[in-house]
Amino acid sequence: MSSTTRPAAGGAILPPEEARSVPIKAIKLRHPWRMVFAVLLVVIFVSVVVDAALRPAYDWPAVGKYLFDRRISQAAVVTLQLTVYSMVIAIVLGVILAVMRLSPNPVVKSLAWFYLWIFRGTPVYVQLTIWGLISLIYSSIDIGIPFMDPWVSFSTNAALSTFTIAIIGLALNEAAYMAEIVRAGLLAVDRGQEEAATALGMSWSQTMTRVILPQSMRVIIPPTGNEVISMLKTTSLVTAVPFSFELFTRSRDISAETFNPIPLLIVASIWYLFFTSILMVGQHFLEKRFARGVGDRQPDRKDAVGTGTGTLTGVVPVVDSGQPSVIAPPRQDDPPANPGGVK
């Protein structure tokens, strides 16, 4: 090994043992105003909590009374059912629409774009109201060849309950947003991945299930988790259908009986917070699961011995000027520091 260390231009030449032995003393910066701001926020938070605990309008005994009321718990289960059923249909339909949007067929692509334009351009409450009036628009559901006598015909009111109509309305609206999320995830995967899979002899389905979709999931899952949480809260709008057995509408009906709406609104909020907290935890673990390996790869480190250059990069702790001196790697046109190898 050479007896001296060669620093960057302008640095001093130090013996190796001296360059390695000087420690760095780090002094933590002080932020007094940051601490003052934090204390102020804590004081405001505690004041709000104490005020809410002592304000009689909240009526906390009534909140405890109705929090686990059978009618409220049943409505909470119905809200979960609306969320799950609507999201499953929306995800499946969203994937189909995303593939249609990426199709080279202009007719298929235009139909998908028209669907997204309609359902993303109108409020979901308006859509649910129209779905609630579907029996006035279509009094019967006919199955058969168009413009001919139907093979089977039955009343719309008998075939579709308000619960089913609420699911259809929520799912069709959400599918428009899921289509864009899935399309963004598919486009985030490099085109070379598909080309490499095709070169290996994989079919389209194998390429999508084994190559494209697993890589796109880390892009799709975060916004999808947000959409599930949003769907849970959007179920409160199905009263437009009208469907009155979900959490918000049920708590509102009970408050109309007790003439005390604020505690029932708090009860509904607590249940919503409980469900969204569970969904957020599940979203966190799903994101962690599909993000494995992203950003974990460390740059390759070559051993200085036997590489032909024997060049190290780093920082020399002390130099004559009092400032650290960075040892930069040599350029490709520079001769190696030790042409004969390290000895």
Side-chain angles (χ1 to χ4, degrees):
M1 178 69 68
S2 177
S3 60
T4 58
T5 302
R6 179 175 178 265
I13 299 178
L14 296 175
E17 59 276 5
E18 185 177 348
R20 290 195 301 265
S21 61
V22 179
I24 297 176
K25 183 178 180 181
I27 300 176
K28 185 178 181 180
L29 295 178
R30 300 182 182 276
H31 302 279
W33 288 109
R34 182 185 299 176
M35 296 299 298
V36 172
F37 184 67
V39 171
L40 181 62
L41 289 179
V42 171
V43 171
I44 294 175
F45 176 76
V46 173
S47 301
V48 171
V49 172
V50 172
D51 178 78
L54 301 178
R55 193 168 294 274
Y58 289 115
D59 196 359
W60 295 108
V63 173
K65 175 182 177 182
Y66 289 103
L67 184 60
F68 297 104
D69 185 271
R70 184 173 59 87
R71 294 168 293 180
I72 294 295
S73 59
Q74 289 177 346
V77 173
V78 172
T79 298
L80 279 181
Q81 291 176 337
L82 286 171
T83 303
V84 173
Y85 297 158
S86 300
M87 282 305 303
V88 169
I89 297 174
I91 291 173
V92 174
L93 187 56
V95 172
I96 296 174
L97 288 170
V99 175
M100 292 174 64
R101 286 272 285 154
L102 297 175
S103 172
N105 190 321
V107 176
V108 174
K109 183 184 297 185
S110 300
L111 288 176
W113 179 88
F114 182 79
Y115 180 97
L116 269 61
W117 177 63
I118 291 294
F119 283 93
R120 293 176 64 193
T122 55
V124 61
Y125 192 85
V126 175
Q127 296 175 26
L128 291 173
T129 304
I130 294 175
W131 279 104
L133 301 174
I134 193 66
S135 60
L136 298 179
I137 303 174
Y138 302 99
S139 58
S140 63
I141 299 177
D142 301 329
I143 300 176
I145 301 176
F147 309 108
M148 297 184 64
D149 292 336
W151 302 333
V152 180
S153 179
F154 40 84
S155 173
T156 302
N157 287 330
L160 301 176
S161 63
T162 54
F163 180 75
T164 305
I165 293 175
I167 292 175
I168 293 174
L170 292 173
L172 292 181
N173 176 266
E174 183 61 33
Y177 297 93
M178 286 303 307
E180 291 298 281
I181 292 173
V182 174
R183 185 172 71 93
L186 295 177
L187 292 176
V189 181
D190 190 85
R191 180 71 176 178
Q193 299 290 319
E194 182 178 356
E195 295 175 353
T198 304
L200 292 174
M202 290 186 178
S203 63
W204 182 86
S205 60
Q206 290 176 330
T207 302
M208 291 298 295
T209 56
R210 299 183 182 181
V211 179
I212 304 299
L213 283 178
Q215 296 184 63
S216 64
M217 290 301 289
R218 64 184 179 87
V219 179
I220 294 175
I221 284 180
T224 301
N226 296 335
E227 290 298 317
V228 173
I229 294 173
S230 178
M231 175 62 73
L232 178 70
K233 295 176 289 186
T234 306
T235 55
S236 61
L237 300 179
V238 296
T239 182
V241 170
F243 181 76
S244 58
F245 294 99
E246 50 81 32
L247 183 57
F248 170 71
T249 308
R250 199 69 178 124
S251 61
R252 188 185 62 182
D253 293 342
I254 296 175
S255 65
E257 299 174 0
T258 60
F259 300 100
N260 194 10
I262 296 179
L264 272 302
L265 291 175
I266 295 176
V267 168
S269 300
I270 292 174
W271 276 98
Y272 282 123
L273 284 172
F274 173 71
F275 289 142
T276 54
S277 299
I278 295 176
L279 291 174
M280 290 172 65
V281 172
Q283 177 184 353
H284 168 74
F285 284 104
L286 276 177
E287 291 180 12
K288 189 176 180 180
R289 166 68 175 80
F290 284 96
R292 291 183 305 175
V294 178
D296 293 338
R297 183 179 178 183
Q298 300 295 329
D300 296 335
R301 300 179 60 187
K302 296 182 178 180
D303 189 359
V305 180
T307 58
T309 60
T311 303
L312 299 176
T313 60
V315 177
V316 176
V318 176
V319 293
D320 295 341
S321 61
Q323 297 294 331
S325 183
V326 178
I327 303 176
R331 294 176 298 178
Q332 294 181 357
D333 54 348
D334 289 343
N338 190 358
V342 179
K343 295 183 180 179

